[in-house]
Amino acid sequence: MLKIATYNLFHGRYKKPILENLNALIKEGSEIICIQEADRTFEKDLRKFITEHLGWKSKVIHTTRGGDLAILWDSKRIKPEIIR
């Protein structure tokens, strides 16, 4: 079974609890995390977080309308060609 989580970051305004919650989602076995409002101001923190979790990858999509999206996945479990 594939475990997927979604998370609205509220534009990354509360960085510490957001990163703690993302870490908890990974520890609870999430294999894919879909993120709403992954604004440019939070992207650096998000990428740093991903590098700290070996085997995890990310893709961020900026729409310039406040609807920026990101997807995080465990590349040890999820084949990269699935994520486009």
Side-chain angles (χ1 to χ4, degrees):
M1 180 186 328
L2 185 63
K3 192 167 186 178
I4 301 172
T6 63
Y7 191 18
N8 187 317
L9 300 185
F10 193 56
H11 303 287
R13 292 185 182 158
Y14 305 100
K15 292 179 184 181
K16 185 177 179 191
I18 288 170
L19 296 172
E20 289 171 352
N21 289 338
L22 287 171
N23 195 48
L25 289 170
I26 290 172
K27 285 184 176 181
E28 290 175 14
S30 294
E31 298 165 294
I32 297 175
I33 303 173
C34 303
I35 299 175
Q36 302 164 12
E37 298 183 8
D39 295 357
R40 291 179 193 272
T41 57
F42 191 73
E43 188 172 0
K44 181 180 174 184
D45 296 291
L46 188 58
R47 291 201 186 278
K48 182 177 184 245
F49 174 81
I50 289 300
T51 61
E52 293 170 357
H53 289 82
L54 296 176
W56 278 77
K57 303 288 182 188
S58 66
K59 172 80 173 167
V60 179
I61 302 164
H62 297 292
T63 65
T64 68
R65 295 183 180 176
D68 299 329
L69 305 171
I71 185 167
L72 316 177
W73 69 94
D74 183 348
S75 64
K76 292 179 276 183
R77 299 181 192 177
I78 305 298
K79 302 244 185 254
E81 60 269 11
I82 293 174
I83 311 295
R84 296 196 189 333

